[in-house]
Amino acid sequence: MNPAGNNIVPPAGRALPRASDALPWALVTPALGWTLLFFVLPFIAMGFSSLTAHEGGGFTLSNYSQFFTNPSYWQAMVNSLEVTAIVTVVSVLLAYPFAWILAEQVPERWQRLALMLAVLPFWTSYVVRSYSWLLVLAQNGVINRALTGSGLVSEPLQLANTRLATVTGFVHFFVMLLTLTIFANLKQLSPSYRKAAADLGAGPVRTFLHVILPLTLPGIMVGAFLTFVLCIGDYITPQILGGNNELLMPQLVMMQIGRRGDFPLASALSIILMAVVTVAYLACARWLKIERA
Amino acid sequence: MSIKSASGNPLSVLKRHLHAACAATAFLLGAGSLAEAADLNALIWCDHSDPALLQPFEEANNVKVNVKEFEGTGAGLAIVEQSQPGDWDVMVIDSIDVPRGVEKGLFEPLPEDKLPFADLFPQVKMDGSTVVGGKRYGITEKFGYNTIGFNKTKVDPADMQSLASLTADKYKGKVAIYDYYLPVIGMAALAIGKKTADLTEADLPALKEELLKMKANAKLVGEVTASQTALATGEVDILVGGGEWVTAGLAKENPALDFSIPKEGAVLWSQSLAMFKDSKNKDMALKFIQYILSPEGQARLATSSCYWGMPANTKAALTDDQKKVLRFDEQPGFLARAQAYPAPNADLDKKMQDMWTEMLQAK
């Protein structure tokens, strides 16, 4: 009842603000502030930078047009997409059985240890891990010594400084990331799904293809998207393991900054890279929702 | 892009404000640590961060030298642009890029009478770059050559006296190229008989052809660490664009590594020290430059743990062994054949970088 004694309820949507309504906003304010300060503002700055000329300032679209007219810039994007796609697919194919074994075959009491071993690569510096791979794949490295020592090949193979080396370095890292996301997904599945499928006469293969795989697709897609984002934006691994025998987008961005300090062109290339990531996000959006439909 | 030239453009004004806001935030966040011990702030290459170089100066002058490393002139100038005036006291910069800093109004003329110019190798004073408008803004402190580094047990050292060997079938797959476009383009120019100082846009097709031939022979194109690792581990036997800075540092562990100055010549790299116009501690900045150019400072800088290189001062207090590794006594002959880094204008520089990008993408 209001002070005038009328028992009037405010119309829906016009309720008086209560202290508890402000609480959620108060809780998210630090995160919003952080995002504003360290993502939105720099992104706006980068956007404006990408529209200015390197020499003399002034508005220009030439930084973007360079990307679309210079074949070697285009090639960098094609290389990036190819490498990222290969890494993502290979990582998924390796991670799924690994996650399956962890979730289904390893006894519960050993799973924690197995998971810890799985995430060990995350504890090693990115640079150190890449250089380690370089030494493994080098002409005098472990693999070539084993191959030549066993007589399987007469001359060392070129493994380092190739796309194969870049992909190997990436896959080593991302298989673990994907294993974790798929493992979490598999553990959420109720055993009753399998029982129901078996009751309906489905064998293990049909159960996997028609029940388990569709239900774990969100986990796969989340991991694949993370792999895509981290892989397409990485500079270190292709720089160390690829031997610069082909250029990827992050390397092209860095080239603009090193000597020439061409931040406008570097900004434009970065925004194009972000646009590609956004397209990838939209393509996977169905599976990237937090709540499962 | 100069700040002055961008002043009237709304986009540039907004961009500058955003830069200023970011710089102010960064400065506020870092102010505490700077305020505690900042006596001299130096924007440097990694060879100056060696404690063996800095400690004697700090102890003798009761000063703390705060260093920040950067990799290329563009990145260094970007740091300065996003800092407050007076944040930095001294800077290490490619000698050929000193005019870029002067053009931006960053540097203070150096007092020639208080620095040992008479003791420097005459060829590395680089007056064409370090003197602008009749005033000297930079002093060369260290130099060397972008040339051929090689493993003398794996290749014929006689072959390494000619740049033509780099594109010969004999060494296919045994070559690494140092990933910096200007010096390697300079080497390509020498290989086709052009002078690095005279390069124009008309030379680009011939240079590109030579670069593509080099690439066809190369196993990798790598930055300093990657190319040095490739030579040290036997992945390759020849490094194009490497020189004493690669082989000297590894000489103790691998005495088979060597470098040559081929008959066509080599590209002279040279790094200078400059003082900031807005430095709040110009006396100490000058003392620092004097120390680095002193015989003791020069010896420590030349043999810095990050990379070795020839000291600009002929009187550097190097040991006989160090001089041998650096091939100190052979310098007059080397310098006679060396040519300066290409110093293209902004337009040609951009075209050269694009040509380099094409070379990297070539299969």
Side-chain angles (χ1 to χ4, degrees), chain B residues 47-354:
Chain B
D47 54 343
H48 291 70
S49 62
D50 191 340
L53 172 70
L54 295 179
Q55 268 178 7
F57 175 76
E58 291 178 325
E59 286 166 8
N61 294 282
N62 192 27
V63 65
K64 172 73 182 148
V65 180
N66 301 300
V67 295
K68 178 162 181 61
E69 292 179 27
F70 67 96
E71 303 81 30
T73 301
L77 294 177
I79 293 170
V80 176
E81 205 168 298
Q82 294 179 16
S83 304
Q84 296 293 319
D87 277 0
W88 303 106
D89 299 303
V90 292
M91 180 178 190
V92 179
I93 187 169
D94 260 321
S95 298
I96 60 157
D97 287 327
V98 170
R100 286 174 72 181
V102 175
E103 192 185 314
K104 289 176 182 290
L106 297 177
F107 298 146
E108 174 82 8
L110 297 175
E112 290 205 12
D113 56 330
K114 292 178 181 167
L115 292 164
F117 280 100
D119 297 335
L120 302 191
F121 285 95
Q123 298 93 331
V124 302
K125 288 183 179 174
M126 308 279 288
D127 287 351
S129 304
T130 54
V131 176
V132 181
K135 293 178 182 171
R136 183 175 295 280
Y137 289 92
I139 180 166
T140 305
E141 47 158 25
K142 194 171 178 178
F143 71 97
Y145 312 93
N146 290 96
T147 180
I148 306 175
F150 59 92
N151 184 326
K152 58 190 173 193
T153 63
K154 302 277 185 64
V155 302
D156 182 352
D159 289 345
M160 299 300 108
Q161 300 305 315
S162 169
L163 291 171
S165 301
L166 302 178
T167 52
D169 285 345
K170 184 177 178 183
Y171 295 114
K172 194 172 180 64
K174 298 180 186 298
V175 177
I177 300 174
Y178 173 48
D179 183 18
Y180 190 9
Y181 65 107
L182 281 181
V184 180
I185 287 173
M187 288 182 69
L190 295 175
I192 60 172
K194 299 276 182 186
K195 286 194 179 302
T196 55
D198 300 338
L199 294 178
T200 65
E201 195 174 337
D203 297 315
L204 294 183
L207 288 170
K208 183 177 164 185
E209 192 182 336
E210 186 65 18
L211 287 175
L212 291 175
K213 280 192 216 164
M214 284 186 192
K215 175 73 188 292
N217 256 19
K219 190 175 251 185
L220 73 128
V221 185
E223 36 69 50
V224 175
T225 315
S227 52
Q228 188 166 322
T229 304
L231 190 62
T233 59
E235 185 76 9
V236 297
D237 301 327
I238 298 168
L239 174 55
V240 181
E244 76 300 321
W245 52 270
V246 172
T247 57
L250 298 169
K252 276 186 186 168
E253 291 79 17
N254 192 347
L257 299 183
D258 202 354
F259 71 93
S260 68
I261 305 292
K263 65 177 191 285
E264 297 92 340
V267 177
L268 178 75
W269 61 262
S270 156
Q271 59 189 63
S272 281
L273 268 170
M275 186 197 299
F276 281 96
K277 187 181 72 184
D278 295 321
S279 164
K280 293 169 186 163
N281 204 350
K282 287 182 182 163
D283 290 343
M284 192 57 73
L286 180 59
K287 276 188 181 178
F288 182 75
I289 296 172
Q290 287 170 328
Y291 163 71
I292 295 290
L293 268 297
S294 70
E296 294 73 26
Q298 285 282 277
R300 293 180 189 123
L301 180 67
T303 57
S304 164
S305 57
C306 185
Y307 61 91
W308 286 39
M310 269 296 296
N313 191 332
T314 56
K315 294 181 177 167
L318 293 161
T319 65
D320 288 344
D321 283 346
Q322 289 169 336
K323 283 187 174 179
K324 193 176 169 191
V325 170
L326 288 166
R327 299 169 68 172
F328 200 97
D329 296 338
E330 297 176 69
Q331 294 303 315
F334 291 168
L335 284 166
R337 274 179 285 165
Q339 295 191 29
Y341 252 49
N345 60 28
D347 184 45
L348 184 57
D349 191 40
K350 170 73 180 148
K351 289 187 168 77
M352 284 182 169
Q353 194 177 62
D354 284 348

Side-chain angles (χ1 to χ4, degrees), chain A residues 48 54 58-59 66 72-73 76 79 131 138-140 158 243-245 247 255-256 258-260 263 265, chain B residues 1 9 11 14 72 74-75 78 97 100 179-182 219 221 225 233 235 349-350 353-354 360-361 363:
Chain A
F48 278 110
H54 179 223
F59 175 83
Q66 280 184 66
S72 45
Y73 287 18
N79 291 342
Y131 272 109
Q139 188 163 301
N140 297 322
Q158 173 151 11
N244 259 358
N245 286 320
L247 214 54
M255 272 186 73
Q256 312 310 320
R259 179 187 142 72
R260 303 189 65 250
F263 281 85
L265 181 53
Chain B
M1 179 180 66
N9 182 283
L11 283 174
L14 179 57
D97 287 327
R100 286 174 72 181
D179 183 18
Y180 190 9
Y181 65 107
L182 281 181
K219 190 175 251 185
V221 185
T225 315
T233 59
E235 185 76 9
D349 191 40
K350 170 73 180 148
Q353 194 177 62
D354 284 348
L360 291 176
Q361 296 287 29
K363 300 292 180 192

Side-chain angles (χ1 to χ4, degrees), chain A residues 156-235:
Chain A
L157 303 175
Q158 173 151 11
L159 301 173
N161 305 306
T162 60
R163 179 182 281 193
L164 173 70
T166 304
V167 169
T168 304
F170 273 137
V171 167
H172 178 213
F173 187 74
F174 293 122
V175 158
M176 303 310 153
L177 184 72
L178 273 154
T179 302
L180 289 180
T181 55
I182 297 169
F183 173 82
N185 223 233
L186 284 167
K187 291 296 283 182
Q188 285 175 6
L189 285 185
S190 167
S192 55
Y193 286 116
R194 281 188 208 101
K195 286 178 187 166
D199 287 348
L200 293 168
V205 174
R206 286 190 79 184
T207 303
F208 175 76
L209 290 176
H210 295 284
V211 179
I212 308 295
L213 187 59
L215 288 173
T216 51
L217 213 48
I220 296 172
M221 294 308 288
V222 168
F225 178 70
L226 286 174
T227 301
F228 184 92
V229 172
L230 294 172
C231 185
I232 205 166
D234 185 85
Y235 169 76

Side-chain angles (χ1 to χ4, degrees), chain A residues 11 81 130 135-136 142 155 166 172 174 211 216-217 248 258 262 276:
Chain A
L81 288 171
S130 295
L135 295 176
V136 169
V142 178
E155 291 290 321
T166 304
H172 178 213
F174 293 122
V211 179
T216 51
L217 213 48
L248 305 189
D262 193 345
V276 170

